[in-house]
């Protein structure tokens, strides 16, 4: 079983669409969302006006912005479907709360955190503002390059994934190498495709 931690950078024009999607206030969704189960979703950190709260975080930091600045990190945490089989809601939420605590330590400045139970696999969406320790708005610095992302994946494995019996995905060393794609790895790719599909739906809503 594998975990997924996926980060997308979002600009101002993306925010309202993502808010409607995550808070389930959009007019329509594709057939992956079962609206009859949306009442099961859980807001761990709730905001009904993301852009207002994002601006407040930036103003408190005294950070400068540009018209094309990345103002939010849209992060998804989940795991292989088999990980959730047989788990109680409390056990599932314990996992996602540990993901939330990791995100708070790693990034801070969280605007929204919601667990979705109304799609195929439970997952946690977190939206946070990419502010540096010296109060600059810089998604490039916070997220970094592939090497930095790999380091964060290692830290998530050590701090969260290992305790839940989850495996880290295959590391890439930048060289061509043969990979055996197991059924679990294939499922992780499918989960990531669901994230891409979600991003496309958000873009259509904006």
């Amino acid at each position: 079983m594998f975990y997924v931690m996926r980060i997308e950078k979002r600009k101002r024009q993306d925010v309202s669409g993502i808010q409607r999607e995550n808070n389930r206030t959009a007019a329509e969704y594709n057939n992956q969302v079962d609206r009859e189960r949306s009442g099961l979703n859980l807001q761990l950190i709730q905001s009904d006006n993301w852009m207002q709260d994002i601006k407040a975080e930036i103003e408190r930091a005294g950070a400068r912005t540009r018209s094309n600045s990345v103002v939010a990190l849209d992060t998804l945490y989940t795991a292989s479907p088999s990980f959730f089989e047989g788990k109680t809601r409390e056990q599932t939420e314990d996992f996602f709360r540990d993901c939330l605590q990791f995100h708070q330590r790693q990034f801070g400045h969280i605007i929204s955190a919601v667990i979705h139970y109304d799609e195929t696999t439970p997952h946690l969406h977190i939206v946070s503002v990419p502010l540096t320790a010296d109060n600059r708005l810089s998604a490039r610095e916070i997220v970094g390059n592939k090497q930095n992302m790999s380091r964060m994946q290692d830290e998530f494995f050590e701090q969260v994934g290992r305790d839940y019996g989850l495996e880290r995905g295959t590391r890439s060393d930048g060289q061509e190498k043969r990979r055996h794609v197991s059924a679990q790895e294939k499922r992780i790719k499918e989960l990531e495709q669901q994230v891409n599909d979600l991003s496309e739906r958000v873009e259509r809503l904006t």
Side-chain angles (χ1 to χ4, degrees), residues 34-78:
D34 182 353
R35 294 304 301 271
E36 292 184 359
R37 296 170 56 210
S38 293
L40 299 173
N41 296 343
L42 177 63
Q43 294 274 2
L44 300 179
I45 297 176
Q46 185 167 358
S47 168
D48 295 320
N49 193 329
W50 288 11
M51 200 62 241
Q52 176 179 292
D53 292 342
I54 288 170
K55 287 179 179 177
E57 284 288 323
I58 293 171
E59 288 173 1
R60 275 194 291 269
R64 296 180 178 180
T65 63
R66 298 188 302 272
S67 59
N68 65 340
S69 292
V70 171
V71 298
L73 300 180
D74 180 14
T75 308
L76 178 140
Y77 293 90
T78 189

Side-chain angles (χ1 to χ4, degrees), residues 4 18 25 53 63 88 97 101 130 179 185 196:
V4 172
I18 302 169
T25 58
D53 292 342
T88 65
R97 289 181 191 278
Q101 290 178 8
R179 290 187 59 189
E185 287 175 321
N196 289 334

Side-chain angles (χ1 to χ4, degrees), residues 12 18 37 49 85 118-119 130 134 162 166 187 205:
R12 285 179 179 83
I18 302 169
R37 296 170 56 210
N49 193 329
E85 292 176 0
D118 57 0
E119 295 186 59
D134 58 353
R162 187 200 299 274
L166 293 169
R187 180 56 185 157
L205 291 169

Side-chain angles (χ1 to χ4, degrees), residues 14-141:
D14 304 319
V15 171
S16 62
I18 302 169
Q19 177 180 327
R20 291 193 298 270
E21 178 76 24
N22 284 8
N23 288 359
R24 295 300 191 248
T25 58
E28 60 182 33
Y29 306 90
N30 69 14
N31 57 13
Q32 290 181 343
V33 175
D34 182 353
R35 294 304 301 271
E36 292 184 359
R37 296 170 56 210
S38 293
L40 299 173
N41 296 343
L42 177 63
Q43 294 274 2
L44 300 179
I45 297 176
Q46 185 167 358
S47 168
D48 295 320
N49 193 329
W50 288 11
M51 200 62 241
Q52 176 179 292
D53 292 342
I54 288 170
K55 287 179 179 177
E57 284 288 323
I58 293 171
E59 288 173 1
R60 275 194 291 269
R64 296 180 178 180
T65 63
R66 298 188 302 272
S67 59
N68 65 340
S69 292
V70 171
V71 298
L73 300 180
D74 180 14
T75 308
L76 178 140
Y77 293 90
T78 189
S80 301
S82 56
F83 170 72
F84 299 101
E85 292 176 0
K87 282 187 170 53
T88 65
R89 183 180 172 103
E90 182 180 5
Q91 290 171 327
T92 297
E93 288 171 9
D94 283 344
F95 168 66
F96 286 130
R97 289 181 191 278
D98 284 344
C99 293
L100 177 61
Q101 290 178 8
F102 170 83
H103 194 95
Q104 179 64 48
R105 291 192 300 268
Q106 190 75 41
F107 303 103
H109 307 286
I110 297 172
I111 300 299
S112 170
V114 57
I115 302 171
H116 284 164
Y117 288 104
D118 57 0
E119 295 186 59
T120 305
T121 303
H123 52 274
L124 169 66
H125 287 282
I126 299 179
V127 172
S128 55
V129 184
L131 289 164
T132 65
D134 58 353
N135 294 324
R136 288 177 294 108
L137 186 68
S138 178
R140 178 178 297 180
E141 186 169 324

